[in-house]
Amino acid sequence: MPRTLPDVKTVALAVTDGMLHFELALAYEVFGSLPDGVAGPWYRLVVCAPGPVRAGRFLLEPDRGLDWLPRADTVIVPGWADIDEPPPADLVDAVRAAHGAGARLVSLCTGAFVLASAGLLDGLRATTHWAHTGALADRHPKVEVDPDVLYVDNGRVLTSAGKAAAMDLCLHLIRVDRGSATANAVARRLVMPPHRDGGQAQFVTAPVPATDHGPLAELIPWVLARLDRPLTVEDLARRAGMSSRHLGRHFKAATGTTPLQWLLVQRIRRAQELLEATDDSVDAVAAATGMGTATTLRRHFNRAVGLPPHAYRRTFRARGRSGLDGGEQRSL
């Protein structure tokens, strides 16, 4: 039987020689330590490998062997470096056994080739690095390969595109397990950019930029405490003691976007948190996030997130009650 959300505590990294060190280190960083300001306990991270292994130029000593994977709640397979070679049979067998034991299986980047070799992607939508989606589709015709998404969530089997998209999926896992506030806290610690290139719907909305000092250090907390108000660029500039044009330059440097665009993203992020954590009506959420009316909130929320507020609430409330089900995906 699949494990339910309250039981998803142990994360195992399934590692062998030839793994991509970026994705491996990324998963280790995200799940290996409790972020500041987040109440514990955090995930228990276990590195599983057949012995000392090399990832790039790094030599890694595992905590357990691959035979330990079926004990984990979530198994993450980092990127597989040489996609022209089949992944090791012991790794494929261990991943398949973990799935059979009820674990949630996650591949980062070309780790999808390992899951596909184990037969875990047959009949499912999946993705991998855009440069290798063709190879994945050719070698595993039973897999519905989607080259245009950051990640695909099939419930117990999840796959991500390459590099930075692996972080999107890791943050998504935390959002599913522990809510949007915790996912955003992790994103802030990792100084994640506030926007993804491509401009299409994203479930992981922009975290607050890390500005411990500089001209925005006092302004941003002030804004976040007043998201229920109809703030303007002039209001922000007045509070920061600078011209609107000067404020725009600082925001562009710190967040990569304009003050109004950043403010809208923060309103959407707050709306997500309220939809997940409260029973407030859409009208109440609109008022609490400075959107004014439910109609305005629905328009902006649907454009930013890719689904209307009531559907978002139903999706995440359903996950919280009954475990990891469904077929959610993220567009580039």
Side-chain angles (χ1 to χ4, degrees):
M1 291 291 294
R3 295 172 172 87
T4 57
L5 280 177
D7 300 321
V8 179
K9 298 177 181 178
T10 303
V11 174
L13 298 183
V15 185
T16 189
D17 282 328
M19 289 294 182
L20 297 173
H21 60 275
F22 178 86
E23 288 78 3
L24 173 60
L26 182 152
Y28 193 95
E29 175 68 19
V30 170
F31 297 103
S33 59
L34 181 68
D36 293 339
V38 174
W42 194 235
Y43 298 90
R44 178 192 177 198
L45 183 68
V46 180
V47 178
C48 298
V53 296
R54 285 197 172 278
R57 296 187 177 185
F58 299 98
L59 183 64
L60 188 67
E61 290 283 348
D63 302 308
R64 297 285 190 274
L66 290 174
D67 58 352
W68 196 88
L69 290 181
R71 302 185 187 183
D73 299 300
T74 299
V75 174
I76 297 179
V77 182
W80 176 245
D82 191 357
I83 66 164
D84 293 328
E85 294 293 330
D90 57 349
L91 175 62
V92 172
D93 291 342
V95 164
R96 188 184 295 116
H99 183 266
R104 175 174 60 177
L105 272 294
V106 179
S107 68
L108 306 180
C109 193
T110 50
F113 284 83
V114 178
L115 299 192
S117 295
L120 303 183
L121 299 182
D122 289 354
L124 298 178
R125 181 175 301 213
T127 194
T128 187
H129 192 290
W130 61 266
H132 305 301
T133 52
L136 183 64
D138 289 343
R139 294 176 201 174
H140 302 280
K142 294 181 180 180
V143 180
E144 183 183 349
V145 180
D146 190 338
D148 298 321
V149 293
L150 289 177
Y151 63 76
V152 177
D153 179 352
N154 290 296
R156 288 185 55 217
V157 181
L158 304 89
T159 56
S160 86
K163 303 303 179 184
M167 181 64 78
D168 288 297
L169 179 50
C170 288
L171 289 174
H172 170 71
L173 292 172
I174 295 172
R175 180 182 291 274
V176 167
D177 292 350
R178 298 169 185 268
S180 59
T182 301
N184 284 321
V186 174
R188 285 195 296 272
R189 178 170 66 88
L190 297 172
V191 197
M192 287 291 293
H195 294 283
R196 293 287 295 165
D197 291 336
Q200 294 191 30
Q202 296 190 23
F203 283 92
V204 180
T205 47
V208 179
T211 53
D212 297 330
H213 53 79
L216 303 184
E218 296 182 2
L219 176 63
I220 284 179
W222 182 87
V223 173
L224 294 177
R226 293 163 175 80
L227 290 177
D228 59 331
R229 305 180 188 181
L231 298 172
T232 66
V233 175
E234 289 72 22
D235 294 330
L236 273 61
R238 189 179 306 112
R239 177 68 186 183
M242 61 182 71
S243 69
S244 298
R245 181 175 296 182
H246 196 197
L247 177 71
R249 286 197 293 268
H250 280 293
F251 255 93
K252 187 69 174 179
T255 71
T257 188
T258 68
L260 280 182
Q261 289 171 331
W262 176 85
L263 180 59
L264 177 60
V265 169
Q266 303 316 310
R267 295 190 193 280
I268 295 297
R269 184 172 65 87
R270 179 67 57 81
Q272 287 179 292
E273 294 173 355
L274 293 174
L275 290 167
E276 291 181 28
T278 76
D279 294 319
D280 293 351
S281 67
V282 175
D283 286 292
V285 172
T289 57
M291 294 288 189
T293 68
T295 299
T296 301
L297 172 61
R298 290 189 186 98
R299 183 174 69 252
H300 288 297
F301 196 94
N302 195 44
R303 183 182 301 160
V305 179
L307 70 171
H310 71 275
Y312 180 89
R313 169 176 275 167
R314 184 172 62 247
T315 297
F316 282 93
R317 289 292 180 88
R319 286 177 180 277
R321 288 194 300 268
S322 60
L324 296 169
D325 300 309
E328 184 176 318
Q329 66 185 45
R330 171 70 53 79
S331 296
L332 278 166

